[in-house]
């Protein structure tokens, strides 16, 4: 109820106020902010996945601008010797308008990253994007093996079958790399599990499948139960330390993050930045009003 209320008044809140809510979860508005936050995380023994904010673009000049920004980001990361990968959202490059053009833009980013032995992860967006993003991923993986990964969402009913398809595509080469997360978009019950119990159950089934089939998982969650479940699967399958990692969002559950790092596991934090922070924050809230709860917490527990 309160969540819905906050989402309802969102358009009337001044940008400055929304920034107070958002700044805990966003590195800043500029590239230098992302570099600063990543440097700080690296010093704490944590890797980063740097993400330029912006999605669902339709204008060619903006799409080109974002690509140039990513190329600049790769240069900065190399110059500053940061320990990070990159995350991209295909709709930033017009996925829903022109798949071929989107592929060409992202290919340029992946080619540059791969030339510096870096890794690019294709974020997963809403359910209309899944088929297109998997096709894009397979194409890039063939050309840049070891330098590209994808995301799958445990809430989608199709995810296990997508994992089976990716395992078959991999043919035991161990090249497929999947970030498994719960999923952030508000999907209909026809395509998505809706209860937390079901989503958690499928998250761990998906993770179990990945360990069994040699798919490299990035375990992206702040849910203690899932972290404990992941520990159990790691004990069972004993994957090599470079064959899995944990991932969290910047600013979320730092204590749990620290406890995972202290266990000696690889941790990577997702570091979003950019001028599009306002749209990102408000869209996330509209898509997933339960996040309003976290906003209230942020408002009252600023520190
Ligand atoms: C590295 C990373 C990359 C992601 N990439 C994608 C993607 O490509 N596509 C996609 O659909 N989703 C993505 N997500 C989001 C993901 O799908 C979930 O929506 C999000 O992680 C919350 O799920 P949870 O597993 O943390 O469990 P939850 O049950 O939602 O959260 C567990 C606990 O974590 C805390 N928490 C969780 N989220 C927040 C928050 N935003 N602010 C404050 N506290 C919070 C709360 O204490 C909560 O009780 C990503 C998440 C991570 C960590």
């Amino acid at each position: 109820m309160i969540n819905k209320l906050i989402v309802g008044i969102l358009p009337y809140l001044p940008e400055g106020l929304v920034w107070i809510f958002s700044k805990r979860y966003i590195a800043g508005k500029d590239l230098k902010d992302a570099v600063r936050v990543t440097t700080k995380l690296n010093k704490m023994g944590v890797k980063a996945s740097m993400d330029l904010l912006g999605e669902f673009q339709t204008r060619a000049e903006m799409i080109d601008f974002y690509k140039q920004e990513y190329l600049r980001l790769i240069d900065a990361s190399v110059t500053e010797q940061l320990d990070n990968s990159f995350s991209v959202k295909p709709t930033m490059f017009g996925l829903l308008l022109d798949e071929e053009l989107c592929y060409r833009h992202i290919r340029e980013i992946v080619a540059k990253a791969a030339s510096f032995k870096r890794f690019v992860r294709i974020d997963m967006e809403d359910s209309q994007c899944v088929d297109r993003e998997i096709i894009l991923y397979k194409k890039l993986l063939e050309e840049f093996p070891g330098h590209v990964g994808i995301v799958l969402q445990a809430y989608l009913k199709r995810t296990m079958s997508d994992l089976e398809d990716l395992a078959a595509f991999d043919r035991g080469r161990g090249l497929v790399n999947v970030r498994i997360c719960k999923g952030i978009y508000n999907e209909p019950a026809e395509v998505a599990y809706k209860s937390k119990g079901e989503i958690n159950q499928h998250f761990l089934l998906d993770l179990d499948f990945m360990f069994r089939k040699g798919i490299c998982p990035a375990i992206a969650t702040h849910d203690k139960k899932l972290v404990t479940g992941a520990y159990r699967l790691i004990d069972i399958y004993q994957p090599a330390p470079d064959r899995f990692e944990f991932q969290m969002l910047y600013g979320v559950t730092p204590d749990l993050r620290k406890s995972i790092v202290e266990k000696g596991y690889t941790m990577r934090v997702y570091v979003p930045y950019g001028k599009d922070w306002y749209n990102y924050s408000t869209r996330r809230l509209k898509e997933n009003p339960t996040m309003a709860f976290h906003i209230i917490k942020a408002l009252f527990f600023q520190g």
Side-chain angles (χ1 to χ4, degrees):
M1 178 66 191
I2 185 112
N3 292 338
K4 287 221 169 90
L5 192 72
I6 289 192
V7 171
I9 61 170
L10 210 56
Y12 307 102
L13 294 179
E15 232 181 78
L17 192 59
V18 180
W19 177 244
I20 292 175
F21 300 147
S22 307
K23 68 179 182 194
R24 186 176 144 194
Y25 306 111
I26 291 168
K29 296 170 189 172
D30 299 314
L31 173 56
K32 67 173 180 0
D33 299 314
V35 168
R36 177 180 40 77
V37 166
T38 299
T39 306
K40 205 168 129 196
L41 288 166
N42 287 173
K43 282 189 182 145
M44 294 158 68
V46 173
K47 297 170 189 290
S49 186
M50 298 169 90
D51 172 70
L52 175 64
L53 292 170
E55 54 198 315
F56 295 102
Q57 285 302 323
T58 50
R59 285 168 46 211
E61 67 275 21
M62 283 311 292
I63 290 173
D64 200 56
F65 166 80
Y66 284 122
K67 182 185 67 196
Q68 297 303 337
E69 283 298 295
Y70 262 107
L71 299 177
R72 232 162 55 83
L73 171 62
I74 295 170
D75 281 330
S77 159
V78 171
T79 309
E80 300 293 331
Q81 299 183 306
L82 300 178
D83 187 354
N84 73 285
S85 54
F86 306 94
S87 287
V88 295
K89 286 195 171 48
T91 63
M92 172 184 267
F93 302 100
L95 178 76
L96 299 175
L97 302 175
D98 185 340
E99 279 171 63
E100 183 53 32
L101 188 69
C102 172
Y103 163 72
R104 287 209 301 274
H105 282 302
I106 295 184
R107 187 199 167 279
E108 213 178 313
I109 293 166
V110 176
K112 178 157 183 163
S115 75
F116 292 109
K117 301 196 174 5
R118 300 304 190 90
F119 185 89
V120 178
R121 169 100 42 201
I122 298 167
D123 282 348
M124 187 52 73
E125 301 177 81
D126 64 21
S127 54
Q128 62 179 329
C129 299
V130 180
D131 282 327
R132 294 175 173 96
E133 294 200 12
I134 291 175
I135 291 169
L136 178 73
Y137 172 56
K138 286 177 172 171
K139 229 164 138 180
L140 289 165
L141 188 62
E142 286 299 344
E143 201 182 351
F144 304 102
H147 295 287
V148 61
I150 194 165
V151 180
L152 292 178
Q153 299 147 324
Y155 66 12
L156 286 189
K157 293 180 178 172
R158 58 176 287 172
T159 289
M160 184 54 87
S161 109
D162 287 332
L163 281 171
E164 285 165 357
D165 171 60
L166 286 173
F169 178 79
D170 194 37
R171 302 189 304 279
R173 293 174 293 173
L175 293 175
V176 170
N177 189 314
V178 176
R179 175 196 295 151
I180 185 76
C181 63
K182 288 188 184 178
I184 188 88
Y185 301 89
N186 197 5
E187 299 288 358
E190 297 86 68
V191 299
Y193 303 110
K194 298 307 258 184
S195 79
K196 186 166 178 164
E198 270 185 313
I199 296 169
N200 280 15
Q201 184 196 354
H202 285 276
F203 188 110
L204 292 175
L205 286 172
D206 296 338
L207 185 57
D208 184 287
F209 180 87
M210 285 193 266
F211 280 135
R212 274 190 287 120
K213 297 291 175 179
I215 295 176
C216 192
I219 307 159
T221 184
H222 320 89
D223 186 331
K224 266 191 196 151
K225 282 194 183 145
L226 290 183
V227 171
T228 307
Y231 287 163
R232 210 175 48 245
L233 292 173
I234 292 163
D235 281 346
I236 293 170
Y237 292 107
Q238 304 274 322
D242 63 347
R243 292 295 296 168
F244 72 95
E245 65 182 31
F246 286 88
Q247 296 192 347
M248 287 189 174
L249 299 175
Y250 177 63
V252 177
T253 56
D255 292 342
L256 181 58
R257 182 176 89 200
K258 193 159 164 267
S259 72
I260 296 173
V261 174
E262 281 168 0
K263 270 180 154 299
Y265 294 127
T266 302
M267 170 62 71
R268 188 180 302 275
V269 165
Y270 190 89
V271 177
Y273 77 97
K275 308 245 181 294
D276 210 30
W277 67 269
Y278 181 82
N279 289 339
Y280 171 83
S281 306
T282 52
R283 195 172 304 129
R284 284 288 92 81
L285 277 166
K286 283 179 203 147
E287 277 156 2
N288 188 355
T290 54
M291 273 184 71
F293 167 70
H294 300 306
I295 281 191
I296 299 175
K297 270 206 327 208
L299 183 63
F300 289 106
F301 298 100
Q302 287 297 308

